[in-house]
Structures are given as C-alpha cells and as structure tokens.
Short mmCIF file of all heavy atoms in Angstrom, two decimals:
data_model
loop_
_atom_site.label_atom_id
_atom_site.label_comp_id
_atom_site.label_asym_id
_atom_site.label_seq_id
_atom_site.Cartn_x
_atom_site.Cartn_y
_atom_site.Cartn_z
N MET A 1 1.32 -20.63 -3.71
CA MET A 1 2.74 -20.67 -3.62
C MET A 1 3.28 -19.79 -4.69
O MET A 1 2.68 -19.62 -5.69
CB MET A 1 3.23 -22.21 -3.72
CG MET A 1 4.70 -22.35 -3.58
SD MET A 1 5.14 -24.00 -3.16
CE MET A 1 6.37 -23.53 -1.89
N ILE A 2 4.53 -19.42 -4.56
CA ILE A 2 5.13 -18.48 -5.50
C ILE A 2 5.43 -19.13 -6.79
O ILE A 2 4.96 -18.55 -7.87
CB ILE A 2 6.53 -18.00 -4.99
CG1 ILE A 2 6.31 -17.13 -3.80
CG2 ILE A 2 7.31 -17.23 -6.00
CD1 ILE A 2 7.59 -16.75 -2.96
N THR A 3 5.77 -20.40 -6.97
CA THR A 3 5.98 -20.97 -8.25
C THR A 3 4.68 -21.16 -9.01
O THR A 3 4.76 -21.07 -10.26
CB THR A 3 6.64 -22.31 -8.09
OG1 THR A 3 5.89 -23.16 -7.17
CG2 THR A 3 8.03 -22.36 -7.63
N ASN A 4 3.52 -21.29 -8.23
CA ASN A 4 2.17 -21.40 -8.92
C ASN A 4 1.94 -20.08 -9.61
O ASN A 4 1.42 -20.05 -10.86
CB ASN A 4 1.07 -21.83 -8.15
CG ASN A 4 1.35 -23.31 -7.60
OD1 ASN A 4 1.88 -24.18 -8.29
ND2 ASN A 4 0.76 -23.59 -6.47
N LYS A 5 2.07 -18.96 -8.88
CA LYS A 5 1.84 -17.59 -9.39
C LYS A 5 2.79 -17.35 -10.58
O LYS A 5 2.32 -16.79 -11.42
CB LYS A 5 2.06 -16.65 -8.31
CG LYS A 5 1.75 -15.26 -8.67
CD LYS A 5 0.31 -14.96 -8.87
CE LYS A 5 0.15 -13.36 -8.99
NZ LYS A 5 -1.20 -13.13 -9.30
N ILE A 6 4.04 -17.78 -10.50
CA ILE A 6 4.95 -17.58 -11.59
C ILE A 6 4.48 -18.38 -12.78
O ILE A 6 4.45 -17.76 -13.91
CB ILE A 6 6.39 -17.94 -11.16
CG1 ILE A 6 6.94 -16.95 -10.15
CG2 ILE A 6 7.23 -17.94 -12.43
CD1 ILE A 6 8.24 -17.23 -9.53
N ASN A 7 4.09 -19.54 -12.66
CA ASN A 7 3.70 -20.23 -13.76
C ASN A 7 2.35 -19.72 -14.39
O ASN A 7 2.16 -19.84 -15.58
CB ASN A 7 3.46 -21.72 -13.35
CG ASN A 7 4.68 -22.44 -13.25
OD1 ASN A 7 5.74 -22.21 -13.83
ND2 ASN A 7 4.79 -23.51 -12.34
N THR A 8 1.46 -19.19 -13.55
CA THR A 8 0.19 -18.61 -14.07
C THR A 8 0.58 -17.40 -14.89
O THR A 8 0.12 -17.30 -16.05
CB THR A 8 -0.66 -18.18 -12.92
OG1 THR A 8 -0.98 -19.37 -12.13
CG2 THR A 8 -1.89 -17.58 -13.46
N ILE A 9 1.50 -16.56 -14.48
CA ILE A 9 1.93 -15.35 -15.30
C ILE A 9 2.59 -15.86 -16.54
O ILE A 9 2.23 -15.27 -17.63
CB ILE A 9 2.81 -14.48 -14.43
CG1 ILE A 9 1.98 -13.91 -13.26
CG2 ILE A 9 3.45 -13.44 -15.26
CD1 ILE A 9 2.83 -13.23 -12.15
N LEU A 10 3.46 -16.87 -16.43
CA LEU A 10 4.08 -17.12 -17.73
C LEU A 10 3.17 -17.87 -18.70
O LEU A 10 3.33 -17.64 -19.91
CB LEU A 10 5.17 -18.25 -17.38
CG LEU A 10 6.46 -17.86 -16.59
CD1 LEU A 10 7.33 -18.91 -16.20
CD2 LEU A 10 7.24 -16.96 -17.50
N ASN A 11 2.15 -18.51 -18.09
CA ASN A 11 1.18 -19.19 -19.20
C ASN A 11 0.19 -18.06 -19.71
O ASN A 11 -0.38 -18.45 -20.82
CB ASN A 11 0.41 -20.25 -18.42
CG ASN A 11 1.20 -21.51 -18.14
OD1 ASN A 11 2.22 -21.62 -18.75
ND2 ASN A 11 0.83 -22.15 -17.08
N ASN A 12 0.02 -16.97 -19.04
CA ASN A 12 -0.91 -16.04 -19.52
C ASN A 12 -0.39 -14.75 -20.08
O ASN A 12 -1.22 -13.81 -20.32
CB ASN A 12 -1.95 -15.70 -18.36
CG ASN A 12 -2.87 -16.99 -17.85
OD1 ASN A 12 -3.18 -17.72 -18.69
ND2 ASN A 12 -3.00 -16.99 -16.50
N SER A 13 0.84 -14.73 -20.27
CA SER A 13 1.59 -13.55 -20.82
C SER A 13 2.31 -13.91 -22.12
O SER A 13 2.58 -15.04 -22.32
CB SER A 13 2.59 -13.05 -19.78
OG SER A 13 2.06 -12.71 -18.70
N GLN A 14 2.40 -12.80 -22.74
CA GLN A 14 3.24 -12.93 -24.09
C GLN A 14 4.62 -12.91 -23.71
O GLN A 14 5.10 -12.27 -22.76
CB GLN A 14 2.84 -11.75 -25.01
CG GLN A 14 1.44 -11.75 -25.45
CD GLN A 14 1.08 -12.89 -26.32
OE1 GLN A 14 1.83 -13.31 -27.13
NE2 GLN A 14 -0.06 -13.35 -26.17
N GLN A 15 5.56 -13.55 -24.60
CA GLN A 15 6.95 -13.57 -24.36
C GLN A 15 7.59 -12.29 -24.32
O GLN A 15 8.69 -12.03 -23.63
CB GLN A 15 7.64 -14.51 -25.29
CG GLN A 15 7.29 -15.91 -25.01
CD GLN A 15 8.25 -16.83 -25.88
OE1 GLN A 15 8.78 -16.40 -26.86
NE2 GLN A 15 7.98 -18.17 -25.60
N ASP A 16 6.99 -11.28 -25.07
CA ASP A 16 7.54 -9.77 -25.02
C ASP A 16 7.06 -8.83 -23.81
O ASP A 16 7.42 -7.79 -23.80
CB ASP A 16 7.29 -9.19 -26.44
CG ASP A 16 5.96 -9.06 -26.75
OD1 ASP A 16 5.00 -9.61 -26.13
OD2 ASP A 16 5.54 -8.35 -27.67
N ASP A 17 6.23 -9.52 -23.00
CA ASP A 17 5.69 -8.84 -21.80
C ASP A 17 6.82 -8.66 -20.84
O ASP A 17 7.61 -9.64 -20.49
CB ASP A 17 4.49 -9.52 -21.31
CG ASP A 17 3.75 -8.83 -20.16
OD1 ASP A 17 3.87 -7.58 -19.97
OD2 ASP A 17 2.97 -9.45 -19.39
N ILE A 18 6.84 -7.60 -20.10
CA ILE A 18 7.90 -7.45 -19.00
C ILE A 18 7.62 -8.52 -17.93
O ILE A 18 8.57 -8.97 -17.32
CB ILE A 18 7.81 -6.02 -18.38
CG1 ILE A 18 8.23 -5.04 -19.54
CG2 ILE A 18 8.66 -5.75 -17.36
CD1 ILE A 18 9.71 -5.23 -19.97
N ASP A 19 6.37 -8.76 -17.52
CA ASP A 19 6.02 -9.71 -16.45
C ASP A 19 6.49 -11.07 -16.77
O ASP A 19 7.12 -11.71 -16.00
CB ASP A 19 4.62 -9.64 -16.07
CG ASP A 19 4.14 -8.41 -15.40
OD1 ASP A 19 4.99 -7.61 -14.95
OD2 ASP A 19 2.87 -8.19 -15.28
N TYR A 20 6.40 -11.39 -18.05
CA TYR A 20 6.94 -12.70 -18.47
C TYR A 20 8.49 -12.73 -18.37
O TYR A 20 8.95 -13.76 -17.89
CB TYR A 20 6.59 -12.93 -19.92
CG TYR A 20 6.99 -14.20 -20.57
CD1 TYR A 20 6.01 -15.23 -20.47
CD2 TYR A 20 8.21 -14.48 -21.19
CE1 TYR A 20 6.41 -16.59 -20.97
CE2 TYR A 20 8.59 -15.67 -21.53
CZ TYR A 20 7.82 -16.79 -21.54
OH TYR A 20 8.21 -17.96 -21.93
N THR A 21 9.18 -11.76 -18.75
CA THR A 21 10.49 -11.69 -18.73
C THR A 21 11.04 -11.82 -17.28
O THR A 21 11.97 -12.63 -17.00
CB THR A 21 11.08 -10.33 -19.27
OG1 THR A 21 10.65 -10.15 -20.53
CG2 THR A 21 12.58 -10.19 -19.16
N ILE A 22 10.43 -11.15 -16.37
CA ILE A 22 10.81 -11.15 -14.99
C ILE A 22 10.55 -12.63 -14.33
O ILE A 22 11.39 -13.21 -13.73
CB ILE A 22 10.10 -10.10 -14.17
CG1 ILE A 22 10.52 -8.69 -14.55
CG2 ILE A 22 10.20 -10.32 -12.60
CD1 ILE A 22 9.56 -7.59 -14.08
N CYS A 23 9.26 -13.00 -14.58
CA CYS A 23 8.88 -14.37 -14.22
C CYS A 23 9.83 -15.55 -14.71
O CYS A 23 10.11 -16.38 -13.96
CB CYS A 23 7.48 -14.62 -14.38
SG CYS A 23 6.26 -13.88 -13.42
N ASN A 24 10.16 -15.43 -15.86
CA ASN A 24 11.02 -16.38 -16.59
C ASN A 24 12.38 -16.44 -15.88
O ASN A 24 12.94 -17.44 -15.62
CB ASN A 24 11.11 -16.18 -18.00
CG ASN A 24 11.72 -17.33 -18.82
OD1 ASN A 24 11.44 -18.42 -18.55
ND2 ASN A 24 12.74 -16.97 -19.57
N TYR A 25 12.85 -15.19 -15.62
CA TYR A 25 14.16 -15.12 -15.02
C TYR A 25 14.13 -15.73 -13.57
O TYR A 25 14.92 -16.49 -13.05
CB TYR A 25 14.76 -13.76 -14.97
CG TYR A 25 16.20 -13.66 -14.23
CD1 TYR A 25 17.21 -13.86 -15.01
CD2 TYR A 25 16.29 -13.44 -12.82
CE1 TYR A 25 18.52 -13.93 -14.43
CE2 TYR A 25 17.50 -13.56 -12.30
CZ TYR A 25 18.55 -13.81 -13.02
OH TYR A 25 19.95 -13.86 -12.50
N ILE A 26 12.93 -15.42 -12.83
CA ILE A 26 12.91 -15.81 -11.44
C ILE A 26 12.81 -17.26 -11.49
O ILE A 26 13.42 -17.99 -10.65
CB ILE A 26 11.84 -15.28 -10.70
CG1 ILE A 26 12.02 -13.67 -10.48
CG2 ILE A 26 11.29 -15.87 -9.50
CD1 ILE A 26 10.78 -12.90 -10.10
N LYS A 27 12.10 -17.89 -12.37
CA LYS A 27 11.86 -19.33 -12.43
C LYS A 27 13.12 -20.02 -12.74
O LYS A 27 13.37 -21.07 -12.14
CB LYS A 27 10.71 -19.69 -13.58
CG LYS A 27 10.50 -21.18 -13.54
CD LYS A 27 9.47 -21.51 -14.45
CE LYS A 27 9.11 -22.97 -14.50
NZ LYS A 27 7.96 -23.28 -15.52
N MET A 28 13.85 -19.57 -13.54
CA MET A 28 15.15 -20.21 -13.94
C MET A 28 16.38 -19.95 -12.92
O MET A 28 17.20 -20.79 -12.99
CB MET A 28 15.72 -19.65 -15.28
CG MET A 28 14.83 -19.92 -16.40
SD MET A 28 14.61 -21.74 -16.63
CE MET A 28 13.30 -21.85 -17.85
N ASN A 29 16.09 -19.07 -11.95
CA ASN A 29 17.12 -18.77 -11.01
C ASN A 29 16.54 -18.59 -9.65
O ASN A 29 16.98 -17.83 -8.83
CB ASN A 29 17.77 -17.36 -11.43
CG ASN A 29 18.46 -17.55 -12.77
OD1 ASN A 29 19.52 -18.14 -12.93
ND2 ASN A 29 17.83 -17.01 -13.69
N LEU A 30 15.61 -19.50 -9.34
CA LEU A 30 14.81 -19.31 -8.13
C LEU A 30 15.60 -19.25 -6.74
O LEU A 30 15.39 -18.34 -5.92
CB LEU A 30 13.80 -20.49 -7.94
CG LEU A 30 12.71 -20.26 -6.98
CD1 LEU A 30 11.88 -19.01 -7.20
CD2 LEU A 30 11.64 -21.44 -7.01
N LYS A 31 16.52 -20.11 -6.73
CA LYS A 31 17.41 -20.08 -5.47
C LYS A 31 18.19 -18.94 -5.30
O LYS A 31 18.41 -18.34 -4.19
CB LYS A 31 18.26 -21.28 -5.52
CG LYS A 31 17.61 -22.62 -5.31
CD LYS A 31 18.45 -23.92 -5.34
CE LYS A 31 17.60 -25.15 -5.13
NZ LYS A 31 18.52 -26.39 -5.16
N GLU A 32 18.85 -18.35 -6.35
CA GLU A 32 19.61 -17.20 -6.30
C GLU A 32 18.81 -15.89 -6.07
O GLU A 32 19.24 -14.93 -5.44
CB GLU A 32 20.46 -17.04 -7.57
CG GLU A 32 21.50 -18.08 -7.87
CD GLU A 32 20.90 -19.34 -8.53
OE1 GLU A 32 19.80 -19.38 -9.01
OE2 GLU A 32 21.71 -20.41 -8.49
N VAL A 33 17.61 -15.79 -6.67
CA VAL A 33 16.79 -14.62 -6.62
C VAL A 33 16.39 -14.42 -5.18
O VAL A 33 16.19 -13.18 -4.80
CB VAL A 33 15.52 -14.89 -7.57
CG1 VAL A 33 14.40 -13.69 -7.27
CG2 VAL A 33 15.94 -14.87 -9.04
N ALA A 34 16.32 -15.39 -4.32
CA ALA A 34 15.91 -15.19 -2.95
C ALA A 34 16.82 -14.39 -2.08
O ALA A 34 16.49 -13.66 -1.31
CB ALA A 34 15.81 -16.65 -2.29
N PHE A 35 18.03 -14.23 -2.64
CA PHE A 35 18.98 -13.41 -2.07
C PHE A 35 19.37 -12.10 -2.77
O PHE A 35 20.39 -11.52 -2.44
CB PHE A 35 20.33 -14.19 -1.76
CG PHE A 35 20.03 -15.53 -0.92
CD1 PHE A 35 19.84 -16.65 -1.45
CD2 PHE A 35 19.93 -15.39 0.48
CE1 PHE A 35 19.53 -17.84 -0.79
CE2 PHE A 35 19.51 -16.52 1.20
CZ PHE A 35 19.30 -17.80 0.50
N MET A 36 18.71 -11.86 -3.80
CA MET A 36 19.02 -10.67 -4.68
C MET A 36 18.29 -9.42 -4.14
O MET A 36 17.13 -9.41 -3.77
CB MET A 36 18.59 -10.96 -6.15
CG MET A 36 19.53 -11.87 -6.82
SD MET A 36 18.98 -11.85 -8.54
CE MET A 36 20.07 -13.26 -9.16
N SER A 37 18.96 -8.30 -4.36
CA SER A 37 18.23 -7.00 -4.24
C SER A 37 17.40 -6.70 -5.45
O SER A 37 17.68 -7.43 -6.58
CB SER A 37 19.31 -5.93 -4.02
OG SER A 37 20.12 -5.69 -5.14
N ILE A 38 16.57 -5.66 -5.45
CA ILE A 38 15.89 -5.27 -6.61
C ILE A 38 16.69 -4.83 -7.64
O ILE A 38 16.50 -5.14 -8.86
CB ILE A 38 14.85 -4.25 -6.14
CG1 ILE A 38 13.58 -4.76 -5.44
CG2 ILE A 38 14.27 -3.38 -7.50
CD1 ILE A 38 12.63 -3.75 -4.85
N GLU A 39 17.77 -4.06 -7.34
CA GLU A 39 18.73 -3.59 -8.29
C GLU A 39 19.48 -4.72 -8.95
O GLU A 39 19.62 -4.75 -10.19
CB GLU A 39 19.70 -2.78 -7.60
CG GLU A 39 20.86 -2.04 -8.48
CD GLU A 39 21.71 -1.10 -7.79
OE1 GLU A 39 21.12 -0.35 -7.15
OE2 GLU A 39 22.84 -1.31 -8.02
N GLU A 40 19.83 -5.76 -8.22
CA GLU A 40 20.52 -6.95 -8.91
C GLU A 40 19.57 -7.71 -9.71
O GLU A 40 19.92 -8.08 -10.83
CB GLU A 40 21.05 -7.81 -7.88
CG GLU A 40 21.96 -8.84 -8.38
CD GLU A 40 22.67 -9.80 -7.25
OE1 GLU A 40 22.41 -9.52 -6.07
OE2 GLU A 40 23.40 -10.62 -7.66
N LEU A 41 18.38 -7.95 -9.26
CA LEU A 41 17.38 -8.61 -10.14
C LEU A 41 17.08 -7.81 -11.38
O LEU A 41 16.98 -8.49 -12.48
CB LEU A 41 16.01 -8.83 -9.36
CG LEU A 41 15.00 -9.57 -10.09
CD1 LEU A 41 15.31 -10.95 -10.55
CD2 LEU A 41 13.72 -9.69 -9.18
N ALA A 42 17.03 -6.66 -11.27
CA ALA A 42 16.74 -5.85 -12.50
C ALA A 42 17.86 -5.87 -13.60
O ALA A 42 17.63 -6.12 -14.66
CB ALA A 42 16.44 -4.31 -12.11
N ARG A 43 19.05 -5.85 -12.94
CA ARG A 43 20.22 -5.94 -13.84
C ARG A 43 20.31 -7.25 -14.61
O ARG A 43 20.50 -7.46 -15.71
CB ARG A 43 21.58 -5.75 -13.08
CG ARG A 43 22.78 -5.56 -13.90
CD ARG A 43 24.00 -5.07 -13.15
NE ARG A 43 23.88 -5.05 -11.66
CZ ARG A 43 24.28 -6.01 -10.84
NH1 ARG A 43 24.68 -7.17 -11.42
NH2 ARG A 43 24.11 -6.03 -9.50
N LYS A 44 20.14 -8.21 -13.83
CA LYS A 44 20.30 -9.67 -14.43
C LYS A 44 19.06 -9.99 -15.20
O LYS A 44 19.21 -10.86 -16.09
CB LYS A 44 20.50 -10.59 -13.24
CG LYS A 44 21.80 -10.55 -12.63
CD LYS A 44 22.18 -11.55 -11.73
CE LYS A 44 23.63 -11.32 -11.21
NZ LYS A 44 24.02 -12.50 -10.42
N SER A 45 17.90 -9.46 -15.08
CA SER A 45 16.75 -9.74 -15.84
C SER A 45 16.57 -8.79 -16.95
O SER A 45 15.65 -8.89 -17.80
CB SER A 45 15.49 -9.88 -15.08
OG SER A 45 15.24 -8.76 -14.40
N TYR A 46 17.45 -7.77 -17.06
CA TYR A 46 17.39 -6.68 -18.16
C TYR A 46 16.25 -5.91 -18.17
O TYR A 46 15.72 -5.63 -19.24
CB TYR A 46 17.72 -7.36 -19.51
CG TYR A 46 19.03 -8.03 -19.63
CD1 TYR A 46 18.91 -9.47 -19.47
CD2 TYR A 46 20.33 -7.45 -19.76
CE1 TYR A 46 20.23 -10.19 -19.61
CE2 TYR A 46 21.43 -8.11 -19.85
CZ TYR A 46 21.43 -9.43 -19.75
OH TYR A 46 22.60 -10.23 -19.79
N VAL A 47 15.70 -5.60 -17.04
CA VAL A 47 14.51 -4.65 -16.87
C VAL A 47 14.98 -3.53 -15.76
O VAL A 47 15.90 -3.66 -15.12
CB VAL A 47 13.26 -5.29 -16.52
CG1 VAL A 47 12.84 -6.35 -17.46
CG2 VAL A 47 13.38 -5.91 -15.13
N SER A 48 14.22 -2.51 -15.79
CA SER A 48 14.45 -1.41 -14.81
C SER A 48 14.09 -1.70 -13.50
O SER A 48 13.22 -2.68 -13.21
CB SER A 48 13.82 -0.17 -15.27
OG SER A 48 12.42 -0.30 -15.12
N LYS A 49 14.71 -1.03 -12.39
CA LYS A 49 14.38 -1.24 -11.17
C LYS A 49 12.96 -0.80 -10.82
O LYS A 49 12.11 -1.61 -10.03
CB LYS A 49 15.19 -0.42 -10.22
CG LYS A 49 16.68 -0.88 -10.16
CD LYS A 49 17.47 -0.04 -9.14
CE LYS A 49 17.72 1.36 -9.64
NZ LYS A 49 18.54 2.10 -8.76
N ALA A 50 12.37 0.19 -11.57
CA ALA A 50 10.99 0.49 -11.38
C ALA A 50 10.04 -0.62 -11.91
O ALA A 50 9.01 -0.86 -11.21
CB ALA A 50 10.72 1.77 -12.18
N LYS A 51 10.37 -1.36 -12.91
CA LYS A 51 9.65 -2.43 -13.44
C LYS A 51 9.54 -3.57 -12.42
O LYS A 51 8.53 -4.13 -12.15
CB LYS A 51 10.09 -3.00 -14.75
CG LYS A 51 9.96 -2.01 -15.98
CD LYS A 51 8.53 -1.75 -16.25
CE LYS A 51 8.46 -0.85 -17.54
NZ LYS A 51 6.98 -0.58 -17.85
N ILE A 52 10.68 -3.92 -11.70
CA ILE A 52 10.80 -4.83 -10.81
C ILE A 52 9.86 -4.45 -9.46
O ILE A 52 9.10 -5.35 -9.04
CB ILE A 52 12.15 -5.12 -10.21
CG1 ILE A 52 13.15 -5.65 -11.32
CG2 ILE A 52 12.21 -6.05 -9.13
CD1 ILE A 52 12.77 -6.98 -11.79
N SER A 53 9.97 -3.19 -9.09
CA SER A 53 9.13 -2.65 -8.02
C SER A 53 7.61 -2.82 -8.28
O SER A 53 6.81 -3.33 -7.47
CB SER A 53 9.51 -1.26 -7.71
OG SER A 53 8.81 -0.74 -6.65
N LYS A 54 7.21 -2.46 -9.46
CA LYS A 54 5.86 -2.54 -10.01
C LYS A 54 5.43 -3.95 -9.98
O LYS A 54 4.23 -4.32 -9.53
CB LYS A 54 5.63 -1.80 -11.28
CG LYS A 54 5.72 -0.36 -11.25
CD LYS A 54 5.51 0.25 -12.60
CE LYS A 54 5.73 1.82 -12.47
NZ LYS A 54 5.69 2.40 -13.82
N PHE A 55 6.31 -4.77 -10.55
CA PHE A 55 5.92 -6.29 -10.52
C PHE A 55 5.70 -6.93 -9.17
O PHE A 55 4.79 -7.50 -8.96
CB PHE A 55 7.01 -7.02 -11.29
CG PHE A 55 7.06 -8.56 -11.21
CD1 PHE A 55 6.08 -9.15 -12.17
CD2 PHE A 55 7.61 -9.27 -10.22
CE1 PHE A 55 5.91 -10.48 -12.03
CE2 PHE A 55 7.58 -10.55 -10.34
CZ PHE A 55 6.63 -11.25 -11.02
N ILE A 56 6.50 -6.45 -8.25
CA ILE A 56 6.44 -6.98 -6.84
C ILE A 56 5.21 -6.52 -6.24
O ILE A 56 4.50 -7.22 -5.54
CB ILE A 56 7.72 -6.56 -6.04
CG1 ILE A 56 8.96 -7.39 -6.53
CG2 ILE A 56 7.45 -6.82 -4.59
CD1 ILE A 56 10.27 -6.74 -5.94
N LYS A 57 4.81 -5.28 -6.45
CA LYS A 57 3.48 -4.78 -5.89
C LYS A 57 2.35 -5.51 -6.39
O LYS A 57 1.36 -5.72 -5.65
CB LYS A 57 3.37 -3.22 -6.14
CG LYS A 57 4.26 -2.35 -5.29
CD LYS A 57 4.34 -0.85 -5.78
CE LYS A 57 5.26 -0.20 -5.06
NZ LYS A 57 5.29 1.24 -5.35
N LYS A 58 2.35 -5.76 -7.77
CA LYS A 58 1.23 -6.76 -8.37
C LYS A 58 1.25 -8.12 -7.80
O LYS A 58 0.19 -8.69 -7.81
CB LYS A 58 1.53 -6.70 -9.82
CG LYS A 58 1.07 -5.39 -10.45
CD LYS A 58 0.86 -5.55 -12.04
CE LYS A 58 2.01 -6.16 -12.79
NZ LYS A 58 1.91 -6.19 -14.30
N PHE A 59 2.43 -8.56 -7.65
CA PHE A 59 2.57 -9.95 -7.24
C PHE A 59 1.86 -10.25 -5.93
O PHE A 59 1.29 -11.14 -5.67
CB PHE A 59 4.01 -10.36 -7.21
CG PHE A 59 4.25 -11.79 -7.30
CD1 PHE A 59 4.24 -12.33 -8.50
CD2 PHE A 59 4.70 -12.51 -6.17
CE1 PHE A 59 4.51 -13.86 -8.62
CE2 PHE A 59 4.96 -13.90 -6.33
CZ PHE A 59 4.83 -14.61 -7.44
#
C-alpha cells in the first residue's frame, strides 16, 4: 500500500533528502495530494517538478 511505502522511505531517509521531503508532505496531506497535479505538489512541497517526476518513477 502507498502509506507503507511512504513510511519505509521516511524511516530510511535523512530529513534533508528530497524523497523524505516529498514523502513527508504526501503523508501530512494524503487526501489533498490525490487531486494535485505534479506542478502543484512540487510548489507545495518546495521541490522542483523534475524531482517530483523522478520520485514518482522510483515509487
């Protein structure tokens, strides 16, 4: 499940890691994120659209 994968990334990443930042934002805003575009998620989590795209491909 998605929340398990997010928790795994959060537990195995450093707080200054981009994946940690993205996962933390998603976890805190799970219901809203489901309806966001990549651009909106990038803006609200303070990372680039490219980082969101790379994260999604890894996920």
